[in-house]
């Protein structure tokens, strides 16, 4: 869940890649540890609104700043890359939306 009532759906691989992108960039250790746990335990979901305020706002800022460009650089070339970039753009858009649709 990105915002209350705003979910982002992605493949397990893209979800994990997104968390791995965020973890080393987070200043808030508690939030980074929570994301590490989600990846390590293969939990497959994260409720950003439940994270500490500082971590949540930093996640939104990181997603907005360089996520899509990093994915363009780092994700392997292939037929799925275009769809992955579209999904990541959708995730970024959700960071700006408040409340249910």
């Amino acid at each position: 869940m990105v915002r209350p009532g705003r979910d982002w759906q992605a493949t397990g691989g893209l979800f994990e890649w997104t968390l791995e992108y965020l973890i080393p960039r987070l200043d808030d250790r508690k939030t980074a540890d929570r994301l590490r746990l989600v990846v390590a335990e293969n939990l497959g979901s994260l409720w950003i609104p439940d994270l500490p305020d500082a971590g949540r706002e930093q996640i939104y800022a990181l997603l907005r700043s360089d996520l899509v460009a990093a994915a363009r650089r780092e994700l392997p070339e292939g037929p799925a890359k275009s769809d992955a970039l579209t999904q990541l753009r959708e995730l970024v858009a959700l960071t700006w939306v408040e409340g249910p649709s």
Side-chain angles (χ1 to χ4, degrees):
M1 177 183 294
V2 180
R3 297 261 188 196
R6 300 289 181 169
D7 295 332
W8 179 62
Q9 300 291 320
T11 64
L14 187 58
F15 175 73
E16 184 175 318
W17 181 89
T18 303
L19 296 186
E20 294 286 356
Y21 164 83
L22 292 169
I23 291 167
R25 293 167 173 83
L26 286 167
D27 296 329
D28 184 71
R29 289 296 95 200
K30 188 173 182 178
T31 300
D33 289 344
R34 179 91 168 266
L35 271 59
R36 276 189 202 90
L37 177 66
V38 170
V39 171
E41 298 295 324
N42 197 28
L43 298 178
S45 68
L46 175 69
W47 290 50
I48 297 173
D50 290 348
L51 296 172
D53 291 345
R56 180 177 60 246
E57 291 308 315
Q58 189 177 19
I59 284 174
Y60 293 147
L62 287 166
L63 292 174
R64 292 170 186 155
S65 67
D66 190 48
L67 177 73
V68 175
R72 207 175 285 118
R73 288 187 309 269
E74 296 175 19
L75 292 178
E77 294 300 326
K81 186 170 184 172
S82 177
D83 288 342
L85 293 173
T86 297
Q87 286 185 297
L88 292 170
R89 285 185 202 97
E90 291 169 359
L91 171 60
V92 172
L94 289 171
T95 69
W96 295 103
V97 179
E98 292 283 349
S101 54

